Amino acid sequence: MILRSIALFLIASTCLAQMTGSGTPSNSPDDIAALAAQAKQGNADAQLKLGDAYLRGRGVTQDNAEAVRLFRAAADNGNAEAQYTLGSLYAAGIGVVRDDAEATKWFQKAAENGSAEAQYNMGVRCAYGRGVPKDDKQAAVWFRKSAEQGLARGQLGLAAGYANGLGLPQDKAEALKWYTKAAEQGMAEAQTQVGLIYYNGEGAPTNYQAALSWLEKAAGQGNADAEFNLGAMFERDRGVAQNLPKAVEFYRLAAEHGSASALNNLASLYQHGTGVAQDQQQAMKLYTMAAEKGVFEAQNYLAGAYLTGNGVRKDEVEAAKWMQLAAAHGKAEAECNLAILYQTGTGLPQSFNDALVWYGKAAEQGFAKAQHNLGALYGNGQGTPKDFVKAYKWLLLAQKSGYRDSQQALDWLKPQMTAEQITQAQSSADEWARSHTGR
């Protein structure tokens, strides 16, 4: 069992506390006067500090416009911190109209002047195409510059590049190296990644004790992904002794911190009475919460529950609603099930055209039942003109995948076809199989 890996979303660091040092004490009138005199003479450091005073209202009346003017003066004088701060103001729309291009301009100046925070921000901007063309290789360059200066967020960004092959050759061991550097600085996201690498043995030999240790560090900071994965460890008895009360505890914490997957797993525990008293009503409540947050498994479960009346009042319209959402994830079984609802008019207006589309999506993924039903639609001319060649192709593929009903359908179809049509259908099926080998 592989614990769930986390898709990292890198966030640009533009909050005020990270701009110019929010711990600076309030300035006295004498301090302000001295800074103003030095700033007037073009002292960039004084311009920066006075701009910070106006931005925060320390010793002066808070004035964003004056803060921006002073930061710009310091930035024009080559002060990297002022350039970074000015970029942050444009990114956040504080004292200026929000402008990604202008933010990028100042972040790049600061980055080129050696600001690790600005280098990280440039990495994020290149990774997501904010104010610059999307460029994973350039993102990796900036993340590396930031990481080598010891900035934990930069190390996290560089590690993610190695882990996912974004702008860099995929290298799990190198990813672990940089995740560990960020984790050792206390970054919960990195601690979670290190824990998962040791658990799954990707980039390092499997080490359950190290995995547990790193995940516990991250969970101690309220990281929902770490809490979720600890819940999975204690539920499934691999790497640690099974402890269902602990699994429930971690799933609950993760759910409180925003994990939709934890809601789904908690629902399953209540459904089956595992680690908690069985409670179908609570299970349905949790499945619904998870489904509303986009969890495929929960959406798929609700579709089946409402369709059959399992633990809830039977409701075909509600079943169809959840099946549509589940199918949108691109899972073949859900796509096939949605096609069946369209074909039979269950919870939805009957539509052979829509059934054809959804069977097609699932059939292209190699789902045998969908291939069989798609072949049947082509053979019967439902949702499409009759096409015995396409019908034979899809029925043959389903039959080769072991779908039992397909042979009978082929035997019915074959006498209605010419030898040339059969050869064409067989060639088309062979070509499809070759192109999908290894998928």
Side-chain angles (χ1 to χ4, degrees):
M1 186 274 296
I2 296 179
L3 290 193
R4 185 170 67 87
S5 60
I6 311 304
L8 283 177
F9 293 93
L10 302 172
I11 300 171
S13 51
T14 57
C15 58
L16 294 182
Q18 293 169 327
M19 290 183 186
T20 56
S22 59
T24 305
S26 298
N27 296 300
S28 69
D30 287 344
D31 291 334
I32 293 296
L35 286 173
Q38 293 169 27
K40 192 173 182 179
Q41 293 173 7
N43 184 301
D45 187 54
Q47 291 165 339
L48 174 69
K49 291 177 180 176
L50 190 57
D52 183 57
Y54 275 106
L55 182 67
R56 303 176 188 282
R58 290 180 174 157
V60 292
T61 301
Q62 201 269 343
D63 187 335
N64 285 341
E66 181 63 9
V68 169
R69 185 189 71 80
L70 287 159
F71 286 137
R72 190 182 302 278
D76 286 337
N77 282 328
N79 184 286
E81 189 173 354
Q83 291 166 340
Y84 171 70
T85 302
L86 194 57
S88 298
L89 293 176
Y90 273 108
I94 297 174
V96 291
V97 175
R98 190 176 181 281
D99 187 331
D100 267 341
E102 194 69 10
T104 300
K105 173 183 124 179
W106 289 107
F107 281 140
Q108 183 159 354
K109 287 179 180 290
E112 289 168 350
N113 274 339
S115 166
E117 287 280 5
Q119 290 164 348
Y120 167 75
N121 274 273
M122 284 303 301
V124 172
R125 286 178 170 270
C126 290
Y128 292 106
R130 294 176 187 162
V132 291
K134 188 178 186 306
D135 186 336
D136 287 335
K137 288 185 178 179
Q138 189 58 43
V141 169
W142 286 118
F143 285 140
R144 185 180 300 281
K145 288 179 182 291
S146 177
E148 288 176 349
Q149 291 200 65
L151 187 74
R153 282 184 296 280
Q155 293 165 345
L156 183 72
L158 184 59
Y162 276 117
N164 300 297
L166 295 173
L168 294 162
Q170 189 173 50
D171 187 331
K172 299 288 188 179
E174 195 69 8
L176 175 60
K177 166 187 160 183
W178 288 103
Y179 278 136
T180 302
K181 288 179 182 290
E184 288 170 347
Q185 294 193 60
M187 179 166 267
E189 296 93 332
Q191 292 168 343
T192 302
Q193 293 295 330
V194 173
L196 292 174
I197 287 170
Y198 280 120
Y199 189 90
N200 294 321
E202 297 178 352
T206 299
N207 185 331
Y208 293 132
Q209 193 55 47
L212 182 65
S213 175
W214 282 111
L215 288 172
E216 286 179 335
K217 288 178 191 291
Q221 298 188 60
N223 183 277
D225 290 321
E227 291 163 342
F228 169 82
N229 282 295
L230 283 170
M233 285 182 73
F234 283 111
E235 179 187 359
R236 294 166 188 173
D237 189 24
R238 182 176 169 188
V240 293
Q242 187 180 51
N243 187 325
L244 293 174
K246 267 197 169 185
V248 172
E249 176 189 349
F250 278 117
Y251 283 147
R252 282 180 174 152
L253 285 170
E256 288 171 8
H257 294 141
S259 171
S261 295
L263 289 168
N264 180 73
N265 286 21
L266 265 180
S268 179
L269 295 181
Y270 275 105
Q271 178 193 350
H272 298 103
T274 306
V276 290
Q278 190 172 34
D279 186 335
Q280 290 295 333
Q281 187 174 357
Q282 180 67 1
M284 287 299 294
K285 177 183 175 183
L286 291 166
Y287 274 130
T288 301
M289 292 170 66
E292 288 172 346
K293 290 178 177 286
V295 177
F296 164 76
E297 292 82 1
Q299 293 168 342
N300 198 47
Y301 175 81
L302 288 177
Y306 279 110
L307 191 62
T308 60
N310 179 23
V312 67
R313 178 177 56 83
K314 186 174 180 179
D315 186 333
E316 291 178 349
V317 172
E318 192 71 5
K321 179 188 90 172
W322 290 115
M323 192 64 77
Q324 286 175 305
L325 290 169
H329 289 268
K331 305 286 188 180
E333 185 175 5
E335 292 171 338
C336 182
N337 287 337
L338 180 59
I340 292 171
L341 297 186
Y342 274 118
Q343 184 178 3
T344 59
T346 303
L348 293 163
Q350 188 177 47
S351 172
F352 291 114
N353 288 336
D354 285 315
L356 190 79
V357 168
W358 286 103
Y359 281 139
K361 290 176 183 287
E364 284 292 347
Q365 295 190 61
F367 196 70
K369 184 176 183 178
Q371 291 173 333
H372 174 88
N373 289 356
L374 183 61
L377 290 184
Y378 278 118
N380 293 323
Q382 293 175 308
T384 178
K386 280 188 179 182
D387 188 326
F388 287 168
V389 172
K390 287 183 179 178
Y392 198 95
K393 165 193 169 180
W394 288 112
L395 289 168
L396 183 60
L397 286 167
Q399 185 267 335
K400 287 182 176 179
S401 294
Y403 198 76
R404 288 182 297 177
D405 294 343
S406 298
Q407 185 59 57
Q408 183 179 353
L410 285 167
D411 291 342
W412 171 83
L413 188 61
K414 195 170 184 178
Q416 304 178 61
M417 299 173 66
T418 66
E420 184 180 356
Q421 285 176 319
I422 293 171
T423 300
Q424 183 183 352
Q426 290 172 333
S427 296
S428 182
D430 289 343
E431 183 180 346
W432 187 95
R434 283 193 299 272
S435 66
H436 289 72
T437 299
R439 286 195 182 183

